[in-house]
Amino acid sequence: MRKNTSSGCVYSQINGRKLFYSINLLVVWQSTMVSKQAFLFSLGSLYLSLLFVFLLMDVYARPANNSALKEKPLDNREENEIMPPDHLNGVKMEMDGHLNKEFHQEVFLGKEMEEFDEDSEPRKNRRKLTAIFSKVDGNKDKKVSAQEMQRWIMEKTEEHFQEAVKENKVHFRAVDPDGDGHVSWDEYKIKFLASKGFNEKEVAEKVKNNEELKIDEETQEVLDNLKDRWFQADNPPADQLLNEEEFLSFLHPEHSRGMLKFMVKEIIRDLDQDGDKKLTLSEFISLPMGTVENKQAQEIDDEWVRERKKEFEEVIDSNHDGIVTMVELEEYMDPMNDYNALNEAKQMIAVADENQDHHLGLDEILKYSEYFTGSKLMDYARNVHEEF
């Protein structure tokens, strides 16, 4: 019995140890799991903290733009909204003194000019041209006289004018963000430099504080020319502020007699070699800057001389004394000049008037459709005119 009792005690002791060890292991395991959870939680917190620090470092590591350095320029559309265009629809000469190659098409097609492209289907263009002919033929006698063409040219020129007025409203809003109806030269200068890629806020701050702007020579030259033009558009009494109408004159000098005079002075200044404020034939036909290097370039220069000589002698020099004055050039460039419109009408008729009746029939306009719609047949049409 003792033995059994003793054995039971031994058994109990052994089982007791196992239970004790099991309990201890459970406690240790639970402690380990708690520690592991705490460790994982701590590790997660550390990861989030490091991520936050890295994000802050990324933000503050980016270079601050503390100077009027150029940024990414605006697209051409935004820049063109505030820049005076080089090309003026319905005006015989470009701002740089070059002849407007598209003038005939602009005053014949008006706003419909873009519809007549080289990729367009010929049949569609013929139908459009037939419809235009019926509109130009005011008395419906199936032929177009010089007077009817003159009236049509004036109407198409007015279309270009109204289109410019419409676009100017959008352009003016681009430089008048506060909508007070007036724009100062400083406000425009800031917008202009921003369109050229300068930081608008920094430029505005420097202008406000009368600080020097670091501008490249080419941009500064453009800016100086624009400033002269700006003050010319400022109607008396001069206040250095342009309203919407004055801003239209700034962008489109053909809309203002005063600005048209200014444009003529600028052209004569660029072409006048002896400083007498008049143009001789040799001055007017002076070749563009550059040296003729090959046959193709020589042909281009020859064409330049031929076209300008013809325009000078037959159109611009109205009294045929060999000299073009500012008055003559101004009259030549005035898009709303009735006399010019009549002369243009006669020239356009002469190009296609094969039966020499001083009128244009539908068949003649269709035959010379490329001339009237502005394609490559321009030289051929001019040769036909010279033969007649």
Side-chain angles (χ1 to χ4, degrees), residues 84-131:
D86 293 326
H87 176 79
L88 302 173
N89 290 331
V91 179
K92 287 189 173 183
M93 191 173 287
E94 309 283 11
M95 294 292 293
D96 59 5
H98 287 61
L99 298 179
N100 180 3
K101 299 283 189 179
E102 300 178 341
F103 177 74
H104 299 298
Q105 293 77 47
E106 290 170 356
V107 297
F108 183 74
L109 298 176
K111 293 190 299 184
E112 298 176 359
M113 184 175 175
E114 295 181 359
E115 298 180 12
F116 288 83
D117 54 63
E118 294 181 0
D119 297 329
S120 180
E121 185 180 343
R123 290 183 180 180
K124 290 183 178 179
N125 279 352
R126 288 174 68 88
R127 285 197 296 269
K128 293 175 186 176
L129 204 50
T130 301

Side-chain angles (χ1 to χ4, degrees), residues 16 26 63 124 131-132 138 174 267 286 328 330:
L26 180 61
K124 290 183 178 179
I132 290 176
I267 292 175
S286 295
E328 286 176 318
E330 183 181 338

